[in-house]
Amino acid sequence: MYLIGADYLLLCNEDFSIIKNGGIYFNENEILEIDTYENLQNKPAKSQKYYQNCVITPALTNLHIHLEFSQNEGSLKFGNFGKWLDSVIENRESLMDSSLQLQMQNTIQTLLQSGVGFVGAISSYGYDLEALANSPLRVLYFNEAIGSKVEALDMLYQNLLARLQDSQQFSSHHFFPALAIHSPYSVHSKMLQKVLNLAKTQSLPLSVHFLESKEEREWLETKKGYFQGFFERFFHTKMQPFYTISDFLNSFRGLKPYFVHCLEATYKDLEMIAKMQGKIISCPKSNRLLNNKILDLNLCKQSQIHPIFATDGKSSNDSLSLLDELRTALYAYMDYDLESLAKDLLLGVTYYAHKDNPLGIKAGSLKKGFLPDFAVFKTKAKEQLALMLLLYTKKAEALYIGGKQII
């Protein structure tokens, strides 16, 4: 058993409770007790440590990253979704060269240093599998399905199955294989049905990019626009949308998936997501760079959806520091009360990132019986703790995953 404490514990529960001079008594499997540090000091413990001028939170969760694009730094175009996607197709091979493994290791260190203990990794090729499986991180590993041409679907589905089986060899209390749908514009309805059936039969969590751009909504609604030319340029074929927006959403009923981005979603769309108990993941910096827009938090509130916040990959970000991401969001949402927003952002990478999660993982809050994963941050603040943490903190003072100090 172990005991750590700090000037403040941010429990990251729905009430945003705070314990002053708090302590956490834990072993390698779970939190055993939370109280004031003084009240816990008489407990038998292998070690005791008190962090002065610090706050302790649950380890942060970054539920949407593309680690395989860690090498991008100036290769891809920003400012318009269509130009960006064209540049991804044109440059993806060069971004996957022999230096990728080193860059992914560097990116994992950035994640850890920003207090992240849990990630949701979208894997398109499986190149990131061993780097993530052998890292200290807890990983929800989304094997991504893509495929729009009928003649290639069988081959692509077999490739997906092989990647899924490879990832399942690493299954543990730290590593959880899952599935992802790339997007409604890039996944044929026959492929979608196969993947959804696979998710149902194996009880696998599911993620999907959804309505990330104006171009995507235009394509699904009018069958015209950027994607008409995209398929002709890169795939030498004339394509039609595979779904209407409502038909695509209805395909996911009973699965409670993670819908990523949702920038162009209407209240009706969000209402459908809420009714199926789906979750929304927002990546503010990526959304600004690709679509010049951020998620409408008022629409989410009207739909009774609490967004989760993440960084996306370096394909559409300059960094995978979750602290940088939250600080950017703090400035971007100018019409919101600053202190309330800071609490919502922090809960969006802790409590709401794990509330009713499909695997039943007890994480995201400092609570008896939950995982012993903690982030420790320096602070001089005595009030507005969430706001001051996001405003001033650049890295974690310490990070514990599975009760072990990682940094």
Side-chain angles (χ1 to χ4, degrees):
M1 273 74 77
Y2 307 87
L3 173 64
I4 63 171
D7 294 356
Y8 300 96
L9 302 187
L10 305 189
L11 302 190
C12 293
N13 53 18
E14 200 157 17
D15 297 328
F16 207 84
S17 304
I18 298 171
I19 297 179
K20 189 175 181 179
N21 301 319
I24 308 171
Y25 186 58
F26 61 97
N27 59 26
E28 294 180 358
N29 298 313
E30 63 179 347
I31 297 173
L32 301 172
E33 197 170 341
I34 292 179
D35 202 338
T36 64
Y37 189 78
E38 182 180 5
N39 287 346
L40 295 173
Q41 276 189 293
N42 292 328
K43 297 278 185 181
K46 187 175 180 180
S47 66
Q48 297 185 8
K49 186 167 186 176
Y50 188 87
Y51 290 92
Q52 290 188 325
N53 300 317
C54 288
V55 300
I56 300 178
T57 73
L60 307 184
T61 295
N62 190 347
L63 263 189
H64 188 78
I65 65 170
H66 292 263
L67 194 66
E68 290 170 318
F69 284 90
S70 292
Q71 292 204 97
N72 178 54
E73 191 172 325
S75 299
L76 305 181
K77 296 178 180 178
F78 297 149
N80 173 273
F81 184 83
K83 289 181 179 178
W84 170 80
L85 186 55
D86 285 356
S87 70
V88 170
I89 300 296
E90 292 163 355
N91 292 280
R92 60 184 170 183
E93 289 187 13
S94 65
L95 292 172
M96 304 293 159
D97 67 18
S98 58
S99 301
L100 178 58
Q101 291 300 322
L102 176 60
Q103 291 298 327
M104 289 194 295
Q105 292 294 343
N106 291 338
T107 302
I108 288 171
Q109 287 305 307
T110 298
L111 290 162
L112 295 169
Q113 288 165 4
S114 67
V116 169
F118 197 115
V119 298
I122 308 296
S123 180
S124 303
Y125 309 101
Y127 299 154
D128 54 355
L129 175 58
E130 292 194 16
L132 285 165
N134 294 324
S135 78
L137 292 162
R138 295 191 197 270
V139 182
L140 188 52
Y141 190 78
F142 293 103
N143 294 278
E144 187 174 57
I146 192 168
S148 56
K149 297 183 75 171
V150 174
E151 57 270 27
L153 294 184
D154 287 342
M155 180 270 291
L156 291 169
Y157 183 67
Q158 290 305 314
N159 175 270
L160 174 68
L161 287 178
R163 287 187 284 122
L164 175 61
Q165 290 167 5
D166 286 345
S167 68
Q168 288 172 327
Q169 294 179 27
F170 291 93
S171 294
S172 72
H173 61 285
H174 272 252
F175 191 89
F176 311 94
L179 292 169
I181 302 296
H182 180 269
S183 66
Y185 64 79
S186 63
V187 176
H188 194 283
S189 54
K190 291 182 178 179
M191 173 71 92
L192 176 67
Q193 198 54 56
K194 285 185 175 183
V195 178
L196 296 185
N197 288 339
L198 185 61
K200 289 175 183 176
T201 56
Q202 297 197 25
S203 300
L204 296 171
L206 195 63
S207 175
V208 55
H209 298 101
F210 182 62
L211 293 181
E212 183 176 5
S213 68
K214 295 181 284 291
E215 289 84 352
E216 181 180 333
R217 183 159 201 118
E218 181 184 30
W219 174 244
L220 297 177
E221 288 185 330
T222 71
K223 305 178 183 180
K224 296 178 181 178
Y226 162 77
F227 279 106
Q228 188 174 31
F230 171 82
F231 286 112
E232 290 176 358
R233 285 195 310 279
F234 292 107
F235 299 94
H236 311 293
T237 184
K238 291 188 176 181
M239 200 72 77
Q240 292 288 307
F242 307 120
Y243 330 85
T244 64
I245 291 171
S246 59
D247 285 344
F248 183 75
L249 283 174
N250 280 323
S251 301
F252 292 88
R253 290 192 180 278
L255 287 167
K256 303 179 184 179
Y258 299 95
F259 290 94
V260 185
H261 302 309
C262 299
L263 293 177
E264 302 299 330
T266 63
Y267 174 74
K268 177 184 175 183
D269 302 329
L270 296 183
E271 194 175 33
M272 290 180 70
I273 291 172
K275 284 181 178 178
M276 69 176 77
Q277 296 179 276
K279 297 175 180 294
I280 289 179
I281 300 176
S282 174
C283 306
K285 289 170 71 177
S286 172
N287 296 158
R288 168 68 175 96
L289 290 174
L290 303 192
N291 197 34
N292 299 302
K293 194 171 184 177
I294 53 177
L295 182 68
D296 189 330
L297 297 186
N298 284 329
L299 270 187
C300 290
K301 187 175 182 180
Q302 291 171 29
S303 307
Q304 296 185 314
I305 291 174
H306 297 280
I308 298 163
F309 294 94
T311 62
D312 216 320
K314 287 188 74 175
S315 46
S316 57
N317 205 329
D318 64 325
S319 165
L320 264 62
S321 167
L322 194 54
L323 295 172
D324 287 349
E325 192 77 28
L326 298 179
R327 192 159 34 252
T328 297
L330 197 65
Y331 285 104
Y333 287 104
M334 294 182 291
D335 295 332
Y336 296 82
D337 175 77
L338 199 56
E339 192 169 0
S340 297
L341 175 62
K343 291 178 181 179
D344 287 343
L345 291 171
L346 188 56
L347 291 178
V349 296
T350 54
Y351 177 75
Y352 290 119
H354 292 280
K355 187 174 185 284
D356 302 323
N357 72 73
L359 293 171
I361 299 168
K362 294 182 177 180
S365 295
L366 301 182
K367 184 177 180 181
K368 183 178 179 179
F370 275 45
L371 291 173
D373 299 354
F374 325 117
V376 183
F377 301 103
K378 278 281 188 186
T379 183
K380 295 179 180 179
K382 300 186 184 305
E383 298 181 0
Q384 298 184 311
L385 292 171
L387 174 58
M388 296 305 163
L389 190 160
L390 300 189
L391 192 58
Y392 292 109
T393 305
K394 303 299 188 292
K395 64 179 182 179
E397 178 75 8
L399 176 68
Y400 293 75
I401 301 175
K404 297 179 180 178
Q405 187 170 351
I406 305 302
I407 61 169

